[in-house]
């Protein structure tokens, strides 16, 4: 290749900003589906007279996100054919078409057909989880270490924004223009968001060697850095997320009205999450993912102990509990960006989608275990003790993170 040809090829590659924008579109689209499923649809069903047990059945649709590691090797084998260009865009495009078809089907079915809706939304969750495998793998391969913080910021900010669309705008459209129009509008929104990635230019990324081992779970678990990464995820989730399930009920019992809580969780939570994601991306680029993750966990412990103090001493003024809730959202977003930016470095370029998916599934499983435990002991112990114990766990996690990062870095 001549110098001129090389320069032309370089110009045809996407910049890091273009890559991040494309990733943000896909991550936002995934969260639109989640917002419709877990925020929009339950409100519609309840308005139509559905029981809480019926609405609770929607939790079945989250299963693909917890167990997507099981089919991640097959996705990676298709996405990364040996010695040939990657097929990330094909996976995203195919998954996007399936999700849009499910949303159109949901619009035609109507909110009364709960069984059919659950089937359609479970298929949509399977498709979005599959797309996430390919998208995460592409991000690890394409973004250099100095830009990975921004990639994870796009993921976190996209998640908050997509949830606001699926859980907020969707309900407004249902209320004013009807269920079918709202579902069709969500399908069109998904198409527009995925187009940023599917039709965008490719970023600089390695071509998989023809003799590389086929992606598989065994290869991931044999690598020490992946095992240490799973340990890091578990430690971080234990410290960061186990108090989450208590915050919503605590706001109610502290005397905040449902409308105010809705504003806090909706507009306030989205704004705080986006601010935290952008802040996290900048901090990671300047100080590194490990240092920011450890600092964020320390702040998480302080916020959780702040909730404990509020409960123990009856500090229920709206500005106190609201401030704690919003600060919690900012700190969690910063920490999530920092942790996963560091975990990207532990994923193999030969099967990045498999390795990174394992980290995410460990996160999901550890979160559910903690939430079930906090819910079970919440009534017996009370808020002050539960927040105090989870805060103490966060302090212990902060102390454990530094040696865990050192061991993981030494293995990488």
């Amino acid at each position: 290749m001549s110098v001129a040809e090389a320069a032309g090829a370089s110009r045809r590659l996407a910049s890091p900003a273009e890559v991040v924008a494309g990733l943000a579109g896909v991550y936002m689209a995934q969260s639109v589906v989640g917002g419709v499923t877990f925020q929009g649809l339950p409100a519609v069903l309840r308005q139509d007279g559905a029981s809480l047990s019926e609405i609770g059945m929607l939790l079945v649709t989250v299963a693909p996100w917890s167990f997507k590691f099981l089919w991640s090797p097959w996705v990676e084998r298709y996405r990364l054919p040996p010695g040939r260009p990657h097929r990330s865009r094909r996976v995203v495009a195919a998954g996007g078409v399936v999700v849009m078809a499910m949303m159109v089907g949901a619009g035609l079915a109507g909110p009364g057909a709960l069984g059919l809706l659950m089937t359609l939304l479970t298929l949509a969750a399977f498709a979005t989880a599959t797309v996430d495998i390919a998208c995460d793998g592409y991000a690890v391969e394409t973004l250099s270490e100095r830009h990975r913080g921004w990639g994870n910021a796009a993921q976190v900010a996209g998640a908050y924004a997509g949830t606001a669309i699926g859980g907020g705008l969707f309900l407004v459209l249902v209320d004013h223009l009807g269920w079918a129009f709202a579902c069709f509008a969500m399908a069109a929104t998904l198409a527009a968001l995925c187009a940023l990635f599917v039709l965008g230019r490719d970023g600089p990324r390695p071509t998989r060697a023809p003799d590389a081992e086929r992606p598989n779970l065994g290869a991931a678990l044999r690598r020490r850095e992946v095992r240490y990464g799973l340990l890091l995820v578990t430690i971080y989730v234990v410290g960061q997320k186990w108090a989450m399930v208590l915050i919503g009920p605590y706001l109610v019992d502290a005397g905040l009205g449902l409308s105010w809580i809705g504003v806090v969780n909706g507009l306030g939570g989205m704004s705080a999450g986006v601010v935290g994601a952008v802040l996290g991306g900048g901090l990671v680029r300047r100080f590194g993912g490990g240092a920011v993750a450890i600092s964020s966990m320390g702040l998480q412990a302080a916020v959780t102990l702040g909730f404990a103090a509020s409960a123990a001493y009856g500090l229920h003024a709206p500005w106190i509990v609201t401030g704690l809730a919003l600060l919690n959202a900012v700190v969690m977003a910063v920490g999530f960006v920092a942790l996963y930016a560091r975990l990207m470095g532990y994923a193999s370029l030969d099967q990045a989608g498999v390795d990174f998916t394992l980290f995410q599934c460990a996160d999901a499983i550890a979160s559910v275990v903690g939430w079930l435990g906090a819910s079970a002991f919440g009534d017996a112990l009370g808020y002050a003790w539960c927040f105090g114990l989870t805060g103490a766990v966060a302090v212990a996690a902060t102390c454990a993170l530094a040696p865990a990062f050192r061991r993981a870095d030494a293995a990488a």
Side-chain angles (χ1 to χ4, degrees), residues 100-247:
M100 287 183 282
M102 296 304 102
M103 290 304 302
V104 170
L108 296 174
L114 184 56
L116 178 56
L117 278 180
M118 285 184 57
T119 301
L120 294 172
L121 291 174
T122 300
L123 290 173
F126 179 85
T128 53
T130 301
V131 164
D132 194 57
I133 295 169
C135 197
D136 288 340
Y138 176 84
V140 172
E141 298 155 357
T142 306
L143 294 173
S144 64
E145 183 174 356
R146 66 193 298 262
H147 293 120
R148 284 174 179 169
W150 293 121
N152 281 284
Q155 183 178 35
V156 175
Y160 278 102
T163 300
I165 294 172
L169 177 61
F170 175 76
L171 287 177
V172 174
L173 293 175
V174 170
D175 193 35
H176 289 85
L177 299 171
W179 170 268
F181 182 91
C183 289
F184 299 159
M186 291 299 103
T189 301
L190 294 172
L193 292 173
C194 289
L196 293 171
F197 182 89
V198 174
L199 303 180
R201 294 185 298 174
D202 203 3
R205 54 184 309 283
T207 300
R208 193 163 182 268
D211 58 346
E213 183 179 7
R214 295 178 71 198
N216 64 89
L217 292 172
L221 295 174
R222 285 194 298 270
R223 296 174 58 238
R224 292 180 60 207
E225 57 265 51
V226 171
R227 297 198 298 271
Y228 278 119
L230 293 172
L231 174 63
L232 276 167
V233 169
T234 303
I235 293 172
Y236 212 86
V237 168
V238 166
Q240 185 194 52
K241 291 187 176 181
W242 280 15
M244 276 183 61
V245 72
L246 300 171
I247 295 176

Side-chain angles (χ1 to χ4, degrees), residues 232 290 294 397-409:
L232 276 167
I294 294 169
T398 304
C399 298
L401 280 175
F405 270 116
R406 284 197 297 269
R407 293 184 180 183
D409 290 342

Side-chain angles (χ1 to χ4, degrees), residues 33 37-38 57-72 118-133 357 360-361 364-365:
V33 178
T37 304
F38 297 111
M57 293 291 290
L58 290 172
L59 286 174
V60 174
T61 63
V62 81
W65 283 91
S66 297
F67 298 101
K68 61 180 180 172
F69 69 91
L70 294 174
W71 64 89
S72 61
M118 285 184 57
T119 301
L120 294 172
L121 291 174
T122 300
L123 290 173
F126 179 85
T128 53
T130 301
V131 164
D132 194 57
I133 295 169
T357 295
Q360 291 181 322
C361 290
I365 293 170

Side-chain angles (χ1 to χ4, degrees), residues 235 294-299 301 393-403:
I235 293 172
I294 294 169
S295 300
S296 176
M297 180 58 71
L299 290 173
V393 169
V395 171
T398 304
C399 298
L401 280 175

Side-chain angles (χ1 to χ4, degrees), residues 69-87 91 133-134 141 208 212-219 350-354:
F69 69 91
L70 294 174
W71 64 89
S72 61
W74 283 272
V75 176
E76 285 295 87
R77 290 170 192 172
Y78 174 79
R79 189 179 71 87
L80 300 174
R84 289 185 286 166
H86 70 102
R87 298 168 176 165
V91 177
I133 295 169
E141 298 155 357
R208 193 163 182 268
E213 183 179 7
R214 295 178 71 198
N216 64 89
L217 292 172
D350 289 333
Q351 55 170 47
V354 175

